[in-house]
PDB file of all heavy atoms in Angstrom:
ATOM      1  N   GLN V 189      19.188  32.578  37.948  1.00 97.00           N
ATOM      2  CA  GLN V 189      18.844  33.395  36.786  1.00 97.00           C
ATOM      3  C   GLN V 189      19.492  34.773  36.924  1.00 97.00           C
ATOM      4  O   GLN V 189      19.622  35.301  38.034  1.00 97.00           O
ATOM      5  CB  GLN V 189      17.323  33.535  36.661  1.00 97.00           C
ATOM      6  CG  GLN V 189      16.823  34.428  35.545  1.00 97.00           C
ATOM      7  CD  GLN V 189      17.198  33.930  34.148  1.00 97.00           C
ATOM      8  OE1 GLN V 189      18.369  33.918  33.785  1.00 97.00           O
ATOM      9  NE2 GLN V 189      16.198  33.531  33.370  1.00 97.00           N
ATOM     10  N   TYR V 190      19.906  35.310  35.806  1.00 97.00           N
ATOM     11  CA  TYR V 190      20.502  36.645  35.786  1.00 97.00           C
ATOM     12  C   TYR V 190      19.414  37.703  35.701  1.00 97.00           C
ATOM     13  O   TYR V 190      18.536  37.638  34.838  1.00 97.00           O
ATOM     14  CB  TYR V 190      21.439  36.755  34.583  1.00 97.00           C
ATOM     15  CG  TYR V 190      22.047  38.130  34.382  1.00 97.00           C
ATOM     16  CD1 TYR V 190      22.788  38.738  35.391  1.00 97.00           C
ATOM     17  CD2 TYR V 190      21.902  38.809  33.170  1.00 97.00           C
ATOM     18  CE1 TYR V 190      23.362  39.987  35.203  1.00 97.00           C
ATOM     19  CE2 TYR V 190      22.479  40.055  32.975  1.00 97.00           C
ATOM     20  CZ  TYR V 190      23.206  40.639  33.986  1.00 97.00           C
ATOM     21  OH  TYR V 190      23.775  41.869  33.806  1.00 97.00           O
ATOM     22  N   HIS V 191      19.477  38.677  36.611  1.00 95.00           N
ATOM     23  CA  HIS V 191      18.559  39.816  36.591  1.00 95.00           C
ATOM     24  C   HIS V 191      19.403  41.070  36.374  1.00 95.00           C
ATOM     25  O   HIS V 191      20.155  41.490  37.261  1.00 95.00           O
ATOM     26  CB  HIS V 191      17.765  39.886  37.893  1.00 95.00           C
ATOM     27  CG  HIS V 191      16.887  38.681  38.101  1.00 95.00           C
ATOM     28  ND1 HIS V 191      15.705  38.506  37.417  1.00 95.00           N
ATOM     29  CD2 HIS V 191      17.035  37.580  38.887  1.00 95.00           C
ATOM     30  CE1 HIS V 191      15.138  37.365  37.783  1.00 95.00           C
ATOM     31  NE2 HIS V 191      15.933  36.776  38.670  1.00 95.00           N
ATOM     32  N   PRO V 192      19.321  41.678  35.196  1.00 93.00           N
ATOM     33  CA  PRO V 192      20.311  42.670  34.772  1.00 93.00           C
ATOM     34  C   PRO V 192      20.127  44.081  35.304  1.00 93.00           C
ATOM     35  O   PRO V 192      21.005  44.918  35.125  1.00 93.00           O
ATOM     36  CB  PRO V 192      20.156  42.666  33.241  1.00 93.00           C
ATOM     37  CG  PRO V 192      18.718  42.315  33.017  1.00 93.00           C
ATOM     38  CD  PRO V 192      18.375  41.332  34.117  1.00 93.00           C
ATOM     39  N   GLY V 193      19.045  44.390  35.954  1.00 88.00           N
ATOM     40  CA  GLY V 193      18.689  45.775  36.230  1.00 88.00           C
ATOM     41  C   GLY V 193      19.724  46.614  36.935  1.00 88.00           C
ATOM     42  O   GLY V 193      19.863  47.802  36.668  1.00 88.00           O
ATOM     43  N   HIS V 194      20.488  46.019  37.857  1.00 89.00           N
ATOM     44  CA  HIS V 194      21.435  46.802  38.666  1.00 89.00           C
ATOM     45  C   HIS V 194      22.888  46.468  38.342  1.00 89.00           C
ATOM     46  O   HIS V 194      23.777  46.743  39.144  1.00 89.00           O
ATOM     47  CB  HIS V 194      21.174  46.563  40.161  1.00 89.00           C
ATOM     48  CG  HIS V 194      19.799  46.957  40.592  1.00 89.00           C
ATOM     49  ND1 HIS V 194      19.400  48.266  40.714  1.00 89.00           N
ATOM     50  CD2 HIS V 194      18.716  46.198  40.917  1.00 89.00           C
ATOM     51  CE1 HIS V 194      18.136  48.304  41.102  1.00 89.00           C
ATOM     52  NE2 HIS V 194      17.701  47.073  41.241  1.00 89.00           N
ATOM     53  N   ALA V 195      23.140  45.898  37.186  1.00 94.00           N
ATOM     54  CA  ALA V 195      24.495  45.461  36.847  1.00 94.00           C
ATOM     55  C   ALA V 195      25.494  46.607  36.896  1.00 94.00           C
ATOM     56  O   ALA V 195      25.168  47.758  36.576  1.00 94.00           O
ATOM     57  CB  ALA V 195      24.502  44.813  35.465  1.00 94.00           C
ATOM     58  N   LEU V 196      26.721  46.276  37.272  1.00 94.00           N
ATOM     59  CA  LEU V 196      27.787  47.272  37.382  1.00 94.00           C
ATOM     60  C   LEU V 196      28.057  47.951  36.039  1.00 94.00           C
ATOM     61  O   LEU V 196      28.218  49.166  35.967  1.00 94.00           O
ATOM     62  CB  LEU V 196      29.042  46.581  37.925  1.00 94.00           C
ATOM     63  CG  LEU V 196      30.288  47.411  38.174  1.00 94.00           C
ATOM     64  CD1 LEU V 196      31.095  46.808  39.328  1.00 94.00           C
ATOM     65  CD2 LEU V 196      31.166  47.481  36.930  1.00 94.00           C
ATOM     66  N   ASP V 197      28.104  47.166  34.977  1.00 94.00           N
ATOM     67  CA  ASP V 197      28.398  47.692  33.645  1.00 94.00           C
ATOM     68  C   ASP V 197      27.106  48.029  32.905  1.00 94.00           C
ATOM     69  O   ASP V 197      26.178  47.221  32.859  1.00 94.00           O
ATOM     70  CB  ASP V 197      29.195  46.650  32.856  1.00 94.00           C
ATOM     71  CG  ASP V 197      29.490  47.091  31.438  1.00 94.00           C
ATOM     72  OD1 ASP V 197      30.270  48.051  31.255  1.00 94.00           O
ATOM     73  OD2 ASP V 197      28.929  46.485  30.505  1.00 94.00           O
ATOM     74  N   GLU V 198      27.073  49.208  32.323  1.00 93.00           N
ATOM     75  CA  GLU V 198      25.866  49.675  31.636  1.00 93.00           C
ATOM     76  C   GLU V 198      25.391  48.676  30.586  1.00 93.00           C
ATOM     77  O   GLU V 198      24.193  48.408  30.462  1.00 93.00           O
ATOM     78  CB  GLU V 198      26.155  51.037  30.980  1.00 93.00           C
ATOM     79  CG  GLU V 198      25.034  51.560  30.095  1.00 93.00           C
ATOM     80  CD  GLU V 198      23.795  51.972  30.877  1.00 93.00           C
ATOM     81  OE1 GLU V 198      23.943  52.362  32.050  1.00 93.00           O
ATOM     82  OE2 GLU V 198      22.693  51.886  30.307  1.00 93.00           O
ATOM     83  N   ARG V 199      26.315  48.120  29.818  1.00 94.00           N
ATOM     84  CA  ARG V 199      25.920  47.193  28.754  1.00 94.00           C
ATOM     85  C   ARG V 199      25.263  45.937  29.315  1.00 94.00           C
ATOM     86  O   ARG V 199      24.374  45.361  28.672  1.00 94.00           O
ATOM     87  CB  ARG V 199      27.148  46.820  27.912  1.00 94.00           C
ATOM     88  CG  ARG V 199      27.704  47.963  27.069  1.00 94.00           C
ATOM     89  CD  ARG V 199      29.071  47.632  26.532  1.00 94.00           C
ATOM     90  NE  ARG V 199      30.039  47.469  27.617  1.00 94.00           N
ATOM     91  CZ  ARG V 199      31.318  47.180  27.439  1.00 94.00           C
ATOM     92  NH1 ARG V 199      31.786  46.992  26.212  1.00 94.00           N
ATOM     93  NH2 ARG V 199      32.134  47.059  28.471  1.00 94.00           N
ATOM     94  N   HIS V 200      25.692  45.525  30.485  1.00 96.00           N
ATOM     95  CA  HIS V 200      25.116  44.314  31.082  1.00 96.00           C
ATOM     96  C   HIS V 200      23.734  44.562  31.669  1.00 96.00           C
ATOM     97  O   HIS V 200      23.035  43.601  32.000  1.00 96.00           O
ATOM     98  CB  HIS V 200      26.061  43.755  32.138  1.00 96.00           C
ATOM     99  CG  HIS V 200      27.234  43.017  31.558  1.00 96.00           C
ATOM    100  ND1 HIS V 200      28.243  43.660  30.882  1.00 96.00           N
ATOM    101  CD2 HIS V 200      27.534  41.681  31.521  1.00 96.00           C
ATOM    102  CE1 HIS V 200      29.128  42.766  30.467  1.00 96.00           C
ATOM    103  NE2 HIS V 200      28.732  41.567  30.841  1.00 96.00           N
ATOM    104  N   ARG V 201      23.352  45.825  31.788  1.00 95.00           N
ATOM    105  CA  ARG V 201      21.994  46.121  32.267  1.00 95.00           C
ATOM    106  C   ARG V 201      20.954  45.882  31.172  1.00 95.00           C
ATOM    107  O   ARG V 201      19.752  45.899  31.449  1.00 95.00           O
ATOM    108  CB  ARG V 201      21.912  47.569  32.744  1.00 95.00           C
ATOM    109  CG  ARG V 201      22.776  47.864  33.958  1.00 95.00           C
ATOM    110  CD  ARG V 201      22.768  49.323  34.315  1.00 95.00           C
ATOM    111  NE  ARG V 201      23.932  49.661  35.157  1.00 95.00           N
ATOM    112  CZ  ARG V 201      24.379  50.879  35.372  1.00 95.00           C
ATOM    113  NH1 ARG V 201      23.756  51.913  34.819  1.00 95.00           N
ATOM    114  NH2 ARG V 201      25.436  51.075  36.123  1.00 95.00           N
ATOM    115  N   HIS V 202      21.427  45.685  29.956  1.00 93.00           N
ATOM    116  CA  HIS V 202      20.502  45.494  28.836  1.00 93.00           C
ATOM    117  C   HIS V 202      20.614  44.101  28.239  1.00 93.00           C
ATOM    118  O   HIS V 202      20.018  43.829  27.193  1.00 93.00           O
ATOM    119  CB  HIS V 202      20.769  46.548  27.765  1.00 93.00           C
ATOM    120  CG  HIS V 202      20.684  47.962  28.263  1.00 93.00           C
ATOM    121  ND1 HIS V 202      19.483  48.560  28.591  1.00 93.00           N
ATOM    122  CD2 HIS V 202      21.654  48.871  28.557  1.00 93.00           C
ATOM    123  CE1 HIS V 202      19.715  49.790  29.030  1.00 93.00           C
ATOM    124  NE2 HIS V 202      21.013  50.000  29.025  1.00 93.00           N
ATOM    125  N   LEU V 203      21.352  43.211  28.915  1.00 95.00           N
ATOM    126  CA  LEU V 203      21.442  41.836  28.442  1.00 95.00           C
ATOM    127  C   LEU V 203      20.110  41.123  28.627  1.00 95.00           C
ATOM    128  O   LEU V 203      19.452  41.257  29.659  1.00 95.00           O
ATOM    129  CB  LEU V 203      22.506  41.063  29.227  1.00 95.00           C
ATOM    130  CG  LEU V 203      23.970  41.204  28.819  1.00 95.00           C
ATOM    131  CD1 LEU V 203      24.822  40.292  29.702  1.00 95.00           C
ATOM    132  CD2 LEU V 203      24.176  40.867  27.361  1.00 95.00           C
ATOM    133  N   GLU V 204      19.737  40.372  27.635  1.00 96.00           N
ATOM    134  CA  GLU V 204      18.525  39.556  27.744  1.00 96.00           C
ATOM    135  C   GLU V 204      18.870  38.289  28.515  1.00 96.00           C
ATOM    136  O   GLU V 204      19.742  37.523  28.106  1.00 96.00           O
ATOM    137  CB  GLU V 204      18.016  39.191  26.353  1.00 96.00           C
ATOM    138  CG  GLU V 204      16.708  38.417  26.351  1.00 96.00           C
ATOM    139  CD  GLU V 204      15.513  39.280  26.749  1.00 96.00           C
ATOM    140  OE1 GLU V 204      15.585  40.510  26.591  1.00 96.00           O
ATOM    141  OE2 GLU V 204      14.518  38.709  27.229  1.00 96.00           O
ATOM    142  N   PRO V 205      18.232  38.040  29.654  1.00 97.00           N
ATOM    143  CA  PRO V 205      18.530  36.813  30.405  1.00 97.00           C
ATOM    144  C   PRO V 205      18.224  35.569  29.574  1.00 97.00           C
ATOM    145  O   PRO V 205      17.423  35.602  28.635  1.00 97.00           O
ATOM    146  CB  PRO V 205      17.606  36.909  31.624  1.00 97.00           C
ATOM    147  CG  PRO V 205      17.280  38.367  31.747  1.00 97.00           C
ATOM    148  CD  PRO V 205      17.248  38.891  30.346  1.00 97.00           C
ATOM    149  N   PHE V 206      18.845  34.484  29.937  1.00 98.00           N
ATOM    150  CA  PHE V 206      18.548  33.218  29.281  1.00 98.00           C
ATOM    151  C   PHE V 206      17.067  32.858  29.456  1.00 98.00           C
ATOM    152  O   PHE V 206      16.459  33.165  30.494  1.00 98.00           O
ATOM    153  CB  PHE V 206      19.379  32.081  29.888  1.00 98.00           C
ATOM    154  CG  PHE V 206      20.818  32.063  29.461  1.00 98.00           C
ATOM    155  CD1 PHE V 206      21.816  31.836  30.396  1.00 98.00           C
ATOM    156  CD2 PHE V 206      21.190  32.236  28.134  1.00 98.00           C
ATOM    157  CE1 PHE V 206      23.150  31.797  30.024  1.00 98.00           C
ATOM    158  CE2 PHE V 206      22.520  32.207  27.748  1.00 98.00           C
ATOM    159  CZ  PHE V 206      23.501  31.985  28.687  1.00 98.00           C
ATOM    160  N   ALA V 207      16.519  32.193  28.471  1.00 98.00           N
ATOM    161  CA  ALA V 207      15.182  31.620  28.616  1.00 98.00           C
ATOM    162  C   ALA V 207      15.196  30.591  29.738  1.00 98.00           C
ATOM    163  O   ALA V 207      16.241  29.986  30.029  1.00 98.00           O
ATOM    164  CB  ALA V 207      14.741  30.972  27.310  1.00 98.00           C
ATOM    165  N   VAL V 208      14.044  30.399  30.353  1.00 97.00           N
ATOM    166  CA  VAL V 208      13.940  29.435  31.455  1.00 97.00           C
ATOM    167  C   VAL V 208      14.448  28.066  31.021  1.00 97.00           C
ATOM    168  O   VAL V 208      15.184  27.386  31.758  1.00 97.00           O
ATOM    169  CB  VAL V 208      12.487  29.353  31.942  1.00 97.00           C
ATOM    170  CG1 VAL V 208      12.315  28.178  32.909  1.00 97.00           C
ATOM    171  CG2 VAL V 208      12.063  30.651  32.618  1.00 97.00           C
TER     172      VAL V 208
END
Side-chain angles (χ1 to χ4, degrees):
Q189 176 63 293
Y190 176 57
H191 297 284
H194 300 287
L196 182 150
D197 177 68
E198 173 69 28
R199 291 167 296 180
H200 283 70
R201 295 175 200 163
H202 304 288
L203 278 183
E204 184 71 24
F206 284 136
V208 170

